Each structure stands twice: as C-alpha cells, then as structure tokens.
Amino acid sequence: MPRFETRQYWLILTAVFATVAIATGERVTARDRLTLKGHSGWVASVGFSPDGKTLATASADKTVKLWEVESGKELATLTGHTDSVAAVTFSPDGKTLATGSYDHTSKVWEATTGRVLNTLTGHKGVVMSVAFSPGGRTLATGSIDSTIRLWDATTGRETAVLAGHKSWVNAVAFSPDGKTIASGSSDNTVRLWEVGEGKEVRVLRPKAAEIRSIAFSPDGKQLAAGTRYGVVKVWDAAAGDEVASLKGHAGDVWAVAFAPDGKTLATGDGDWNRPGDVRLWDTNGWKERTSLRHTGEVLSLAFAPKAPVLAAGSWDKTVKLWDLADR
C-alpha cells in the first residue's frame, strides 16, 4: 500500500471548512498572537462561536475543547465520544455545537453547559464533517461510508440520506441561502445537492484529484475545493465552470475557506509531519497575497467573525491564532 494510503487508512484526516481571515488590502502581514496547547492528539477541526469570543477545537484525543479567544484560556473540555473527534462547528445562534467522530456518531452539545443533547447514529463509518444550515434547523454529516445524512438539528431525527459518491465523503457545506449542499469526496468529485428534495443537481470532476475540503463563497456564487495534490480549484457554483486553479501548496490542501466579505480565500496544507503553510489569495484576480507558516501540518482553519484573527489546527496538537492586518 502506498505511503499516503497507509497514512490515510490510519488517520482518516479531516478538513472542516469555515470562514477564514480577511485581508482588506494588497499587502498582508500577520503576527503570531497565541498558540493553544492542551490537546494530546492532532487537532482536526476548529470553529469560532458566532460572537467570536470562543473557539472550539476537535482532536484525536477524543475531546472537544472550548477556549477564550482573547486570553487563550481553556474554558471547558467536552467528553463523550469514544474515538477521535474529526469535526466541530457551532450552530448559527451559538447555542449548540455539533461534532463528528471516528466512533461513527455525531453529537449535538449545549454550548454553555457541554451537555450532550442528541447522539446521531446511522452512519456506518467515521463522520468526517458536519455543517449546520444557515438557519440552524438542519445538520448535514459526511462520512467515509460514502453518504451524506441530513438531520433535524433539534430532535436529532434523520430526515434524508444523500447517496451517489463512490468513496469517502470528506467535506460538506451548505450554500449561504441554504438551498444547496456541496460534498467533496475521495472519488475525485464534488457533488451539488438540492436540499429540499435531496436531488443531485451537478457533479464537478477535477482531474485525478481526491477532494479534501470545500467551501462556498459568502455570496454563494463560487465554490472552492482543496485537493490531494496541492491544487485548489474554484468553480462558478451555478454554471459549474472552472474559475481558477491555484497552485503553490506542497502537500494536500486539507482546509479551504472564504473570508466573510469574499475578498480572500485561505487554504491550508500539510504532508505527514512536515510543517504546513496557510496561503491567502485575492479573489479579485486570484493572486497570492501572503503565506503563513505553521509548526505542524495544517488540518483546519477558521476565521473569527468579528476580528481579523485566523485559527489553524495542526497535526502537532496545537492551534495557532494569528492577527492579520493590512499594514
């Protein structure tokens, strides 16, 4: 078995997309603000609360930790999964969190108490990614069992199963209007689904490139995907036409995300235990603005919604927070 497949068999690494740090000018600088240490396993996923005050991190140590963004203080540790936690995200109102795990389940947690509200069962493999709909009523989960499942986020009732992928579903994302779900898979495709009927409406096929991560632009007009071989593809979400092919990463692109105003796309890479890079791209012309160096392989990225702070979770068990500014 080739080295990469051996590693992926053991790790089944995830990339959970979230919005990432915005740069408002042509020249961007970054200051290493904090390094969060506390997990005893790699950090697969990071996500900010809607008010930007709390950061959630999901780890191979079977826990989710909550951190105060301003100080870097650890606020809580959520336990309940019986295997590595691959994904975490806050609901749009910030009252709950959702997680996906190697134990084949997803959980919905009360954010203030850390209490498990629902445990979602049905997947027959690792739950690689989770995403709330913009209104927070629906939770989507993607798994290595090749399916996407939709759930009532309040009751935990399964409402739909989207089948069509031929391999692992590594990433799922809702369009900003909530009408479409995008899913990225190791079968080298990105599929778009109509949420209401669960109907597949389009298949995007980058050449020989397993999809590691996906993200919609804030206006829903573009869709970005990070691939196994270090290339980032960007499509017109409505027409399916390729808009850009971004090159420069040396390893798999485990995380992609648009800034809240859509002017910047951030992408993160890594290969084995080599330190990874985060690259920031100007979406007006798709030129690289700058790159940031992590101490470990970059597995996840998230942008604080109310401050120019970028969080990056890593294989080296740490989370870096950078202050980004147009100097």
Side-chain angles (χ1 to χ4, degrees):
M1 183 179 289
R3 189 174 86 156
F4 180 86
E5 281 75 11
T6 302
R7 178 184 187 235
Q8 199 171 32
Y9 174 81
W10 287 108
L11 300 182
I12 319 179
L13 292 174
T14 183
V16 172
F17 40 86
T19 52
V20 199
I22 177 174
T24 57
E26 289 300 316
R27 185 163 59 91
V28 181
T29 57
R31 178 170 59 85
D32 192 344
R33 184 170 180 269
L34 289 170
T35 299
L36 307 181
K37 299 179 180 180
H39 282 296
S40 59
W42 41 272
V43 181
S45 183
V46 295
F48 284 93
S49 60
D51 64 8
K53 295 180 179 180
T54 305
L55 179 71
T57 58
S59 173
D61 64 12
K62 307 179 187 179
T63 73
V64 170
K65 290 183 181 290
L66 302 181
W67 311 79
E68 184 179 69
V69 174
E70 181 63 28
S71 66
K73 177 184 177 181
E74 183 180 318
L75 300 174
T77 299
L78 310 185
T79 60
H81 281 296
T82 58
D83 209 334
S84 302
V85 186
V88 65
T89 187
F90 275 93
S91 61
D93 63 9
K95 294 181 179 180
T96 60
L97 301 97
T99 54
S101 172
Y102 280 42
D103 65 14
H104 301 187
T105 74
S106 294
K107 291 182 183 291
V108 178
W109 313 71
E110 189 174 49
T112 54
T113 65
R115 180 169 61 96
V116 176
L117 301 176
N118 288 300
T119 297
L120 313 180
T121 60
H123 280 297
K124 296 177 174 61
V126 174
V127 180
M128 297 286 284
S129 59
V130 294
F132 280 100
S133 63
R137 294 184 177 182
T138 301
L139 181 70
T141 57
S143 169
I144 69 168
D145 66 9
S146 305
T147 70
I148 302 101
R149 293 176 186 262
L150 304 184
W151 314 80
D152 184 301
T154 301
T155 66
R157 180 178 63 88
E158 183 182 293
T159 59
V161 178
L162 310 182
H165 282 294
K166 308 301 182 184
S167 187
W168 301 351
V169 178
N170 299 313
V172 295
F174 278 92
S175 61
D177 63 9
K179 296 180 180 180
T180 304
I181 292 176
S183 55
S185 170
S186 292
D187 66 6
N188 300 359
T189 70
V190 173
R191 296 173 188 264
L192 300 179
W193 312 80
E194 185 182 82
V195 174
E197 297 183 5
K199 178 183 178 182
E200 182 181 290
V201 295
R202 176 168 285 109
V203 181
L204 306 175
R205 303 178 185 273
K207 294 181 179 179
E210 296 180 33
I211 307 301
R212 299 295 186 227
S213 51
I214 55 175
F216 278 101
S217 61
D219 61 8
K221 293 182 179 180
Q222 296 177 327
L223 180 67
T227 73
R228 173 179 176 180
Y229 298 111
V231 177
V232 178
K233 295 289 187 180
V234 184
W235 294 276
D236 181 300
D241 298 328
E242 184 176 303
V243 174
S245 183
L246 309 179
K247 301 178 181 180
H249 284 291
D252 291 34
V253 182
W254 297 105
V256 298
F258 285 90
D261 69 354
K263 294 181 179 179
T264 303
L265 175 69
T267 58
D269 75 3
D271 188 16
W272 289 82
N273 202 25
R274 178 187 60 78
D277 290 322
V278 175
R279 295 176 185 267
L280 302 180
W281 309 84
D282 185 344
T283 59
N284 182 19
W286 299 107
K287 299 297 183 182
E288 184 179 325
R289 290 176 183 264
T290 193
S291 64
L292 310 172
R293 191 70 164 169
H294 205 296
T295 52
E297 181 178 4
V298 178
L299 305 179
S300 51
L301 296 168
F303 174 73
K306 297 184 178 182
V309 177
L310 169 68
S314 173
W315 170 250
D316 71 0
K317 308 175 187 178
T318 71
V319 179
K320 277 192 175 295
L321 277 75
W322 287 286
D323 279 335
L324 300 189
D326 177 20
R327 301 285 178 85

